[in-house]
Amino acid sequence: MDVLSDVLERAGAGTATVRQLIRQPPWAMTFADAPSLTVVAALGGPVSIRIDDADGTPYSLAAGDIALISGTSRYTIGDSPSTQPEVVFQQGKPYFLKTGEEATAGPDLPARTCGDGGLPGATTMLWSAYQLRDGLSDRLLEMLPPVAIIPAGPRTQAVLDLLTTETGSDEPGQDAILARLLDLVLVVSLRAWWAKPDATPPAWYRALADAPIGEALRLLHEDPSYRWTVSNLADKVGLSRAAFSARFSKLVGEPPLTYLTGWRMTLGADLLRDTDSTIAAIAHKVGYHDTFAFSVAFKRIHGVSPSVWRRTG
């Protein structure tokens, strides 16, 4: 598995909600506890995005544009920056702002497909939310701005057409198809964003373009528990030990074994939070046969011991 695919899978990017919204302006809704990553695609009509816990600068989407929203706890989507929201989403449930009552029925509420229907001037958009695992999502989101706008293009449009068709259907296997199509939208969008001349993708992503270092990263992600050394990694990619170490450090921003330790600790933190495995079992799974050595490395990276992380994480 390649490194980006590994990061996406481990971060939980395969578990997302997909909704299609068709609304007649004016309309707006606020998401008060925003998910880790939101993907919004404008299919027709005006779409405006405002990050409410930042400076409030609006972002506009034209038909076919995609927005990746991350690193924020509250944002508003509507037909115009001036439209006041009618509904606020908290803990996944919609509430009317005027009354505070839960909005449980009616055409104004997002479902897989909902809204006013295809009236002239209506806005049609896709909204999807990823609840990513905290530590692992950092690898994915660390270099994205709060809102990344990916302009319409032939590659994204083809996927959006498929996703739109499937979202409007209700057939067996629908959730599986939607999840895979949405993952495709996400990957294509990330590629397009990180390919922009002014983008600053993570160092590990840039390093994937280098054949030897990209292969080394693939090996580390494919088998993080293996007893890797600089020497055996260098042998695997056909470089001398010194040349490999210098090249990896320059491209990735840290030495090979430092990168490996950080990745192991990220995986360990995720396992401590999401499983009931013993600390010894987790240590072994991420490449440590000595539980004490794992605990020392974990505390150096995360600032607390594995047992404290598990209780408070």
Side-chain angles (χ1 to χ4, degrees):
M1 181 182 293
D2 69 85
V3 177
L4 178 57
S5 297
D6 186 38
V7 171
L8 287 166
E9 182 174 327
R10 292 182 186 272
T15 54
T17 302
V18 185
R19 299 288 183 261
Q20 180 175 238
L21 176 67
I22 304 173
R23 291 297 309 272
Q24 188 75 18
W27 67 272
M29 57 186 65
T30 292
F31 296 83
D33 47 359
S36 307
L37 175 64
T38 303
V39 181
V40 176
L43 304 179
V47 176
S48 175
I49 300 170
R50 184 180 71 241
I51 305 302
D52 296 330
D53 52 7
D55 60 6
T57 301
Y59 300 81
S60 297
L61 300 186
D65 290 351
I66 297 172
L68 306 180
I69 307 172
S70 63
T72 181
S73 61
R74 185 183 181 97
Y75 61 83
T76 297
I77 302 179
D79 68 296
S80 166
S82 61
T83 303
Q84 295 301 307
E86 300 171 329
V87 174
V88 59
F89 281 79
Q90 294 178 313
Q91 297 181 344
K93 294 182 179 181
Y95 297 88
F96 290 114
L97 277 170
K98 287 185 178 180
T99 64
E101 296 178 353
E102 184 176 349
T104 57
D108 295 333
L109 309 180
R112 180 172 286 175
T113 300
C114 64
D116 305 316
L119 298 175
T123 296
T124 303
M125 74 174 199
L126 293 176
W127 178 92
S128 53
Y130 286 100
Q131 289 292 357
L132 304 176
R133 299 186 183 97
D134 292 339
L136 289 159
S137 68
D138 292 344
R139 299 264 174 164
L140 177 63
L141 304 176
E142 60 186 349
M143 300 307 290
L144 280 173
V147 179
I149 306 295
I150 295 87
R155 297 186 73 182
T156 55
Q157 189 60 54
V159 183
L160 287 180
D161 289 344
L162 285 171
L163 186 57
T164 303
T165 300
E166 290 298 332
T167 304
S169 302
D170 187 13
E171 300 177 34
Q174 204 71 31
D175 289 338
I177 291 175
L178 288 172
R180 284 157 179 78
L181 286 174
L182 183 60
D183 286 348
L184 184 55
V185 170
L186 177 58
V187 172
V188 170
S189 298
L190 288 171
R191 284 178 179 172
W193 175 257
W194 287 337
K196 289 165 61 73
D198 57 344
T200 52
W204 60 264
Y205 183 84
R206 296 195 304 269
L208 296 177
D210 182 89
I213 304 308
E215 174 64 9
L217 287 167
R218 185 191 67 79
L219 290 168
L220 294 176
H221 280 254
E222 189 175 80
D223 192 1
S225 64
Y226 184 76
R227 291 191 174 185
W228 293 110
T229 65
V230 175
S231 294
N232 62 24
L233 277 169
D235 288 343
K236 289 282 189 181
V237 301
L239 295 175
S240 70
R241 185 182 187 281
F244 168 71
S245 182
R247 191 163 171 172
F248 191 103
S249 298
K250 178 181 179 180
L251 293 177
V252 180
E254 56 188 347
L257 298 188
T258 302
Y259 178 90
L260 175 60
T261 298
W263 181 237
R264 284 172 167 174
M265 294 306 105
T266 299
L267 297 178
D270 185 56
L271 290 168
L272 285 164
R273 179 180 289 115
D274 295 341
T275 75
D276 295 325
S277 300
T278 65
I279 293 175
I282 291 172
H284 184 80
K285 189 168 186 176
V286 300
Y288 285 81
H289 296 279
D290 183 339
T291 305
F292 178 75
F294 168 73
S295 297
V296 169
F298 190 94
K299 187 171 184 178
R300 186 173 69 250
I301 297 294
H302 293 290
V304 295
S305 68
S307 58
V308 172
W309 178 273
R310 169 164 273 173
R311 289 199 305 269
T312 61

